[in-house]
Amino acid sequence: MTQLEINGLFAEYSPSLPILEDVSLKIETGEIISIIGPSGSGKSTILRVLVGLLHPSQGHVIVNGTEVNYKSPSALKSMRDTMAMVFQQFNLFQNMSVLRNVMIAPLKIKKEPEAEVEARAKEYLEIMGLGEKFDAYPDQLSGGQQQRVALARALALRPKILLLDEVTSALDPEMVNEVLDAIRVLSTKGITLIIVSHEMAFVREVSDRVIMMDDGKVVEIGTPDEIFTAAKTQRCRDFISNIIQH
Amino acid sequence: MSYTLQWGVAFDYLPYFLGGALVTLHLTFLGFLAGLIIGITTAVAQVYGSPLMQRTANIYVVFFTNTPSLVTAFFIFFGLPEFGILLSPYLCILINLALNAGAFLADVFRSGIQSVKTTEMEAAEIMGFSLFQKVQYVIAPHIAKTLYPPISNLYIIFILGSALASIFGVEELTGRAFNVDSETFRSIEIYTIAATIYVLMTFAASFALALVGRYVFRVKARMF
Ligand SMILES: Nc1ncnc2c1ncn2[C@@H]1O[C@H](COP(=O)(O)OP(=O)(O)OP(=O)(O)O)[C@@H](O)[C@H]1O
Ligand SMILES: [Mg+2]
């Protein structure tokens, strides 16, 4: 079943400077999609449109068969209810402990019972290897640890679609695999994943499909094997060979 | 020097002075507390409000931060009865303190709101926080932590500034010192005692604020 559909999407941060140009794609429920492409190609921008931080200037976003009306706060809210996002930069609440960071939205926004939320929060933090850090504050954690808290926080919302924007790019090398392992576990749980990553081996391993972007446009969409070994476009082949050499 | 110090007379009034100090404390505490609420509301209106709300908030802040609080106090004291609102001097002064504190705090809060990391606000936004919830869970704690020291200092200044209440017949510390002075004429002794009580009060307040800051907001403030 198609869970998410983007049709002819244009988006810009400042008028007349389009960042995304005519992006269209379809994502099935439970699918794992990776978006790759050079820096500045608009990967983060797509995710920002999907969570409503940026409103499209043209085109449609359709979630579970319903077109999102970006002008309607309630439509945005119900779209966000299905999604969670982990950003490239750390975006934890600095004034809250690790546990509180993970609990706050389910508890205060979704009004779920505290005992249940706390148990779930602790479980996810333990999966992320942060069992000892419940009471720490973000400024007492390494970047890698903060990013894992952010992952646990996103999971605690029990999203249908999880958006991961270069979540491993700030991690210590030995932590990368631990987080990638956690994402692998997620990938078997039927949750739809949209992953922006420069970890090409990982992308190739976990993705059902890979989207190659360049300069705000979708260059190519295909299975990992198609993209990594038999790309149709020269641009995609160049990018892959460049990245693999580095 | 023809003036001989006679401490005994002045000390007889010590309990009366301390009672006045208590009035000063609750007057400034309540006024400042109301000022905190007014200040944060105004600052939120200035940053996130509709153009009309922004303009109204700006006029309020500009008016009160650029007018002597003695003048605004007269304004409230003599102005409100014109509208049929008759309040005790204590309440008039309380309102004046709250409105003045609110305006100064709004300025402090506005810069605090603008210093919240956009990444934190975006995280809150996509997790479905309403504006009120962002203020409650993200902005206010951030402000509390980063702006706690300047806000504490402002509170001390308001304790001292509350002496103007005596002009309006509120029997706080300065008012009572004035009363005793006009009966006994022991001015130097009386105002020495009053000044000492002010010093002790502000020290106690600074100390209490630093303790609260350290344990509630994790602010590493100096105790003195
Ligand atoms: N907040 C913003 N305001 C203005 N322009 C922006 C903003 N964020 C991104 N851009 C511009 O939009 C373009 C696409 O940025 P985007 O962050 O989507 O790229 P990306 O593919 O995620 O790159 P990276 O791999 O470096 O994260 C870039 O040219 C960038 O300069
Ligand atoms: Mg990016």
Side-chain angles (χ1 to χ4, degrees):
Chain A
M1 196 187 116
T2 303
Q3 186 169 38
L4 186 65
E5 192 176 338
I6 298 175
N7 265 332
L9 184 77
F10 286 73
E12 59 206 20
Y13 290 101
S14 46
S16 77
L17 216 123
I19 301 293
L20 296 181
E21 292 179 63
D22 198 15
V23 170
S24 297
L25 47 100
K26 265 188 189 175
I27 295 172
E28 305 297 312
T29 304
E31 210 178 2
I32 300 174
I33 296 284
S34 290
I35 306 179
I36 61 171
S39 182
S41 56
K43 307 182 295 294
S44 299
T45 304
I46 291 193
L47 301 193
R48 295 175 70 82
V49 171
L50 288 180
V51 292
L53 287 177
L54 183 66
H55 295 191
S57 51
Q58 277 184 55
H60 313 275
V61 175
I62 298 152
V63 181
N64 290 322
T66 311
E67 180 176 351
V68 179
N69 175 3
Y70 280 81
K71 294 204 178 66
S72 148
S74 67
L76 275 183
K77 190 175 179 326
S78 69
M79 172 173 71
R80 285 169 178 162
D81 275 347
T82 66
M83 298 195 201
M85 175 161 172
V86 180
F87 294 79
Q88 200 163 356
Q89 319 91 332
F90 318 127
N91 58 355
L92 298 177
F93 300 123
Q94 299 294 320
N95 69 73
M96 296 177 201
S97 70
V98 163
L99 187 60
R100 182 92 177 144
N101 256 286
V102 178
M103 289 176 63
I104 182 89
L107 190 63
K108 299 293 180 185
I109 314 301
K110 298 199 167 171
K111 313 263 189 236
E112 295 170 25
E114 176 153 8
E116 195 182 294
V117 170
E118 184 170 336
R120 191 168 6 122
K122 288 181 169 169
E123 183 191 327
Y124 286 127
L125 282 168
E126 262 151 26
I127 292 174
M128 291 296 146
L130 293 162
E132 319 264 275
K133 298 287 183 192
F134 294 164
D135 298 321
Y137 280 81
D139 59 9
Q140 299 166 330
L141 300 179
S142 74
Q145 290 169 327
Q146 291 191 47
Q147 196 59 299
R148 283 180 286 143
V149 176
L151 216 46
R153 183 175 68 177
L155 290 176
L157 289 164
R158 289 189 290 197
K160 302 275 187 294
I161 306 174
L162 180 58
L163 313 177
L164 305 176
D165 191 353
E166 290 186 40
V167 289
T168 59
S169 60
L171 299 188
D172 307 335
E174 67 268 26
M175 300 274 66
V176 169
N177 280 326
E178 210 176 299
V179 173
L180 294 184
D181 280 343
I183 301 174
R184 279 188 192 96
V185 173
L186 285 180
S187 70
T188 62
K189 300 264 192 236
I191 182 170
T192 305
L193 289 178
I194 304 180
I195 304 171
V196 172
S197 180
H198 290 300
E199 297 279 340
M200 289 304 153
F202 178 73
V203 164
R204 195 166 172 181
E205 172 203 329
V206 301
S207 309
D208 296 316
R209 281 187 304 150
V210 177
I211 297 171
M212 161 77 195
M213 290 203 57
D214 188 30
D215 201 16
K217 300 179 193 70
V218 173
V219 176
E220 201 165 333
I221 302 181
T223 64
D225 281 345
E226 284 166 0
I227 296 288
F228 284 96
T229 59
K232 292 187 201 75
T233 57
Q234 186 62 38
R235 184 69 195 91
C236 194
R237 281 195 296 273
D238 289 348
F239 176 74
I240 301 285
S241 69
N242 247 320
I243 272 235
I244 293 196
Q245 274 161 22
H246 284 107
Chain B
M1 205 169 117
S2 57
Y3 191 97
T4 3
L5 292 173
Q6 292 183 14
W7 291 99
V9 186
F11 270 116
D12 287 344
Y13 288 95
L14 195 57
Y16 180 66
F17 288 148
L18 291 176
L22 209 62
V23 176
T24 297
L25 280 181
H26 60 70
L27 180 67
T28 53
F29 182 79
L30 293 177
F32 206 72
L33 201 65
L36 285 169
I37 296 165
I38 296 171
I40 198 155
T41 312
T42 306
V44 169
Q46 283 178 308
V47 179
Y48 298 110
S50 64
L52 179 68
M53 285 161 75
Q54 289 185 10
R55 183 162 319 161
T56 313
N58 288 340
I59 290 173
Y60 158 64
V61 171
V62 168
F63 179 76
F64 277 91
T65 52
N66 291 285
T67 319
S69 59
L70 184 56
V71 172
T72 55
F74 275 121
F75 207 75
I76 292 168
F77 200 75
F78 295 114
L80 286 185
E82 294 295 318
F83 296 96
I85 304 169
L86 295 169
L87 298 174
S88 67
Y90 180 90
L91 269 180
C92 285
I93 293 302
L94 186 65
I95 291 171
N96 186 52
L97 273 176
L99 289 175
N100 271 285
F104 280 98
L105 287 166
D107 261 351
V108 177
F109 286 149
R110 187 166 47 87
S111 60
I113 290 175
Q114 284 160 344
S115 75
V116 177
K117 290 206 184 95
T118 45
T119 54
E120 282 186 53
M121 291 300 280
E122 286 182 345
E125 173 80 22
I126 64 174
M127 290 198 295
F129 286 56
S130 65
L131 176 58
F132 182 76
Q133 286 166 327
K134 284 181 209 159
V135 171
Q136 184 181 3
Y137 296 117
V138 184
I139 297 173
H142 169 82
I143 287 177
K145 188 168 153 57
T146 55
L147 301 183
Y148 189 78
I151 291 171
S152 303
N153 293 339
L154 212 53
Y155 181 55
I156 301 300
I157 292 170
F158 269 82
I159 291 184
L160 302 180
S162 70
L164 74 78
S166 60
I167 296 173
F168 299 89
V170 177
E171 298 209 332
E172 42 64 81
L173 180 51
T174 305
R176 289 191 181 194
F178 187 76
N179 290 348
V180 175
D181 184 33
S182 53
E183 271 175 36
T184 64
F185 304 105
R186 307 309 314 168
S187 308
I188 295 186
E189 295 90 330
I190 285 161
Y191 287 110
T192 304
I193 291 174
T196 310
I197 296 176
Y198 272 114
V199 170
L200 292 177
M201 264 197 307
T202 53
F203 267 38
S206 303
F207 188 74
L209 286 166
L211 272 183
V212 171
R214 181 169 296 186
Y215 294 106
V216 180
F217 301 120
R218 301 194 311 131
V219 179
K220 295 181 194 75
R222 281 176 301 133
M223 289 298 191
F224 283 105

